Amino acid sequence: MILNDFGHAVEGFWNEIPKHFPFIELNEHVIMPNHVHGILIIRDYDSVGANNHSPLRETPNGTSGTIGSVVRGFKIGATKWSRTKTNIHNVWQRNYHERVIRDERELFETRKYILDNPLKWGMDPEYA
């Protein structure tokens, strides 16, 4: 993918995730024209409430510490950038798809899917 200005901004917001959520490590990702794929590795399960039945109330940086708050923060940053720098105001779909990667084989397959995704862009219905 050759990123435009917004794509570069999205890349920057992705790379800033660990600054706001130090328990998150970034892995493979790709910025596509109409979506993003990425792997977030949780280094401290207690920070996201993964060992509890209810999410943590708040982390030291004022966020809830859930995966939802990580994704929400990423989307908010990119949306604010888009709304101030372009005429595009609706940037993201309402939700996101998450999935737990449970072993090395699944991690390998998910990384491959992400890295191969740009090769499939020409077959996307939104390809123009």
Side-chain angles (χ1 to χ4, degrees):
M1 287 286 115
I2 298 172
L3 300 179
N4 61 15
D5 288 345
F6 181 60
H8 286 291
V10 169
E11 179 95 21
F13 291 113
W14 173 265
N15 290 329
E16 288 180 8
I17 289 173
K19 292 178 187 174
H20 304 284
F21 301 91
F23 55 89
I24 296 291
E25 178 183 315
L26 303 177
N27 204 272
E28 288 299 341
H29 73 282
V30 65
I31 311 297
M32 298 293 291
N34 64 348
H35 64 284
V36 175
H37 290 285
I39 299 173
L40 302 173
I41 297 175
I42 304 167
R43 289 292 174 209
D44 179 3
Y45 296 109
D46 290 333
S47 294
V48 293
N51 292 327
N52 302 313
H53 294 288
S54 60
L56 295 177
R57 295 282 183 238
E58 195 171 291
T59 63
N61 68 358
T63 63
S64 66
T66 64
I67 291 299
S69 69
V70 173
V71 173
R72 183 173 49 254
F74 165 71
K75 289 172 124 181
I76 287 170
T79 299
K80 284 182 177 180
W81 187 97
S82 179
R83 288 179 178 175
T84 60
K85 308 277 188 192
T86 74
N87 61 354
I88 299 170
H89 293 269
N90 294 319
V91 178
W92 303 108
Q93 65 184 22
R94 181 178 163 91
N95 211 337
Y96 62 96
H97 175 76
E98 68 178 66
R99 143 180 194 191
V100 176
I101 299 172
R102 301 195 180 274
D103 57 36
E104 289 295 321
R105 179 194 56 78
E106 199 171 348
L107 178 59
F108 174 82
E109 290 173 3
T110 304
R111 285 175 174 155
K112 182 171 176 19
Y113 175 82
I114 289 170
L115 293 172
D116 289 347
N117 207 256
L119 300 173
K120 301 172 189 170
W121 175 239
M123 297 179 286
D124 190 290
E126 293 187 31
Y127 175 77

